Amino acid sequence: MDWTGTDGVTNNYPITKISEYEFMGCWNVTSMTIFSNITEIGMNAFSSCYALENVDFSKADKLEKIGGGAFGYCDKLAEIHLEYAKNLKIIDEAAFYNNGIEKVFLPDGVETIGKNALKRKDGQKTYVYGRTGSTAEEYCKNENAELFSDVCVFRDYEGVYLVHPDSWEEYYETGEGTYHVELEWPVSSDSSDVEWKSSDESIATVDSKGLVTRKKKETVTITAVRGEFSDSVVIKFLKESFSSKDGVWKYRKLTDSTIAICGYTGEGTKKVMIPSEIDGYTVTRCSSFILQIGRMHEQLYNYDIIIPQKNNIGYVGANAFGLANKSN
C-alpha cells in the first residue's frame, strides 16, 4: 500500500491486510493506493483521516473485504471507485459513512453491504452505481425504505440519467433560443451510444450532445435513450421580456396563470411605473420598493419603483415585485 502525506512524501507498506485502527486519525494523509497484495481493510483502519481526498482502488484486484467504519468520517472523499476490486465481497457497516461521499461505483460480485456503509451523515444523496438486480440496488432500497426518502440513489451502469430540476420544480424554463440538457450518467466523454429525441421537432430539435434549439416558444419533452433505458425532461421556452415606454422588463412565468416580474433594463434615475398590462397578463398585486444595490426599502408610492443609477439593474430575484395574474 502506498500513501502520500500533506508533505508530498510517498510511503510504501508491503502488507496483505491493513489492521483495525491502523491509520485512524492520520490527519496528514491526503491520498493512497491499495495494491493487489491487500486482501482486507480492517475496521476503522482509516477512520477520521480528515485530509484524505482520494483512494485509488484500480490495482486492488485481490481485495475481498472492507471493514466497518474503515473510511468513516473521511469527509473529503467524494467518489469511491471500487469497480476495479473485482473480488470484493463484503463492505461492512458504515465503511464510508461521512459528509463528503457523492458517488460510489461497485463491482458486480459484492455480496454484503452493511447499514450506512455508503451513506452520508448529513442526509444528502449518495449515487450508487451497479447492476440492476444486484446487492447494490437492494442496499439502496433498504436504506431508503428506512428513512422514507431517496438518500441512496441507485444507478445502473448501462442506464442513462439526465440532470433534473430541483425537487420543487417540474420543468426547466428558459427565454433563450437554445438549452443544453445535461447528462448525469454516462459521463459526456462516454455518451456516444446515447440517442436524443424531441417530442415535437416543430417546437425544438435536439442534437447528439443534448443541445436543444428552439423553433417556437412552447413546451417540449427531451428524451435520452440508451439501450433499454431512457430518461426525459420537460423544457418550457418562454417569452422572457416585454417593453414599455420606460425600458425593457424581464419576467418569469411561475405557473399557467401567474408570472413574476424579475428585472428592468433602462436608463436614468427616475420613478418608473410598472405597466398594468403585460403580454396578456394583468398586474393584480404588486409590492412597492425603492431599489438600491443589494437592498430594498419600502416607500410610499404605490406600484412605483426607483431606478437609482444608469443600467445597473439587470436582474432582480423572482417575485421581487409580486405576482401578476393572466387576464381572461
Side-chain angles (χ1 to χ4, degrees):
M1 181 195 79
D2 282 1
W3 65 272
T4 303
T6 53
D7 57 2
V9 176
T10 299
N11 302 273
N12 175 262
Y13 289 84
I15 54 180
T16 58
K17 177 183 176 180
I18 301 173
S19 301
E20 298 177 359
Y21 306 98
E22 184 76 19
F23 297 95
M24 182 177 180
C26 289
W27 58 267
N28 62 329
V29 177
T30 59
S31 65
M32 67 179 65
T33 301
I34 308 298
F35 285 102
S36 61
N37 55 301
I38 301 296
T39 60
E40 182 178 343
I41 299 174
M43 182 175 68
N44 292 322
F46 298 98
S47 177
S48 303
C49 290
Y50 301 120
L52 184 60
E53 296 180 354
N54 178 62
V55 181
D56 182 0
F57 289 97
S58 63
K59 301 177 178 64
D61 57 323
K62 292 184 174 61
L63 182 64
E64 297 177 1
K65 180 180 179 180
I66 298 176
F71 295 92
Y73 300 93
C74 297
D75 290 343
K76 289 190 175 183
L77 277 180
E79 289 196 13
I80 314 297
H81 286 271
L82 292 168
E83 68 269 33
Y84 306 107
K86 302 298 184 182
N87 285 302
L88 183 62
K89 303 298 182 186
I90 300 171
I91 304 174
D92 269 344
E93 184 172 328
F96 292 94
Y97 189 57
N98 61 50
N99 276 337
I101 189 170
E102 297 174 359
K103 296 180 180 181
V104 182
F105 299 85
L106 296 176
D108 295 341
V110 176
E111 297 173 355
T112 302
I113 304 176
K115 185 177 179 181
N116 296 330
L118 310 176
K119 194 169 72 175
R120 290 176 64 114
K121 295 187 298 175
D122 58 11
Q124 297 297 310
K125 290 183 178 181
T126 302
Y127 291 86
V128 180
Y129 293 82
R131 306 287 181 185
T132 300
S134 67
T135 303
E137 183 179 24
E138 188 65 24
Y139 165 79
C140 291
K141 288 179 180 178
N142 291 338
E143 292 284 19
N144 295 336
E146 184 172 309
L147 297 173
F148 302 102
S149 65
D150 291 339
V151 293
C152 291
V153 182
F154 176 75
R155 294 292 190 241
D156 192 295
Y157 281 123
E158 304 299 323
V160 61
Y161 305 94
L162 300 177
V163 176
H164 284 259
D166 293 325
S167 57
W168 55 87
E169 298 281 0
E170 296 179 1
Y171 49 79
Y172 288 112
E173 57 183 24
T174 179
E176 303 299 324
T178 59
Y179 192 90
H180 184 247
V181 179
E182 297 182 61
L183 279 172
E184 176 202 302
W185 181 263
V187 294
S188 57
S189 60
D190 189 30
S191 59
S192 59
D193 58 346
V194 175
E195 180 184 0
W196 294 88
K197 297 179 179 180
S198 168
S199 62
D200 190 336
E201 293 195 347
S202 70
I203 298 175
T205 59
V206 59
D207 70 8
S208 61
K209 301 296 183 182
L211 181 65
V212 182
T213 301
R214 179 190 69 195
K215 292 186 175 180
K216 291 191 294 188
K217 292 180 180 179
E218 295 183 18
T219 301
V220 68
T221 299
I222 301 299
T223 302
V225 180
R226 189 183 187 214
E228 62 184 37
F229 296 90
S230 65
D231 196 10
S232 300
V233 295
V234 177
I235 301 172
K236 289 194 174 184
F237 288 103
L238 307 173
K239 187 170 183 179
E240 71 275 16
S241 65
F242 64 93
S243 298
S244 71
K245 62 184 179 63
D246 298 306
V248 177
W249 297 81
K250 292 179 179 290
Y251 68 82
R252 170 175 176 249
K253 187 174 180 181
L254 298 178
T255 69
D256 287 337
S257 60
T258 59
I259 62 172
I261 301 172
C262 299
Y264 168 82
T265 303
E267 293 190 1
T269 300
K270 56 187 176 183
K271 186 188 298 182
V272 182
M273 292 293 294
I274 295 177
S276 60
E277 192 276 331
I278 304 172
D279 294 323
Y281 293 79
T282 305
V283 175
T284 59
R285 182 174 69 85
C286 185
S287 302
S288 300
F289 295 101
I290 295 175
L291 285 180
Q292 295 179 346
I293 300 299
R295 56 181 177 165
M296 295 183 181
H297 297 286
E298 291 186 5
Q299 53 101 17
L300 299 177
Y301 300 104
N302 204 19
Y303 299 105
D304 295 349
I305 65 171
I306 301 296
I307 308 301
Q309 296 179 21
K310 274 191 175 183
N311 298 321
N312 70 327
I313 297 180
Y315 180 82
V316 180
N319 203 26
F321 309 121
L323 299 180
N325 289 336
K326 192 170 185 179
S327 59
N328 295 324

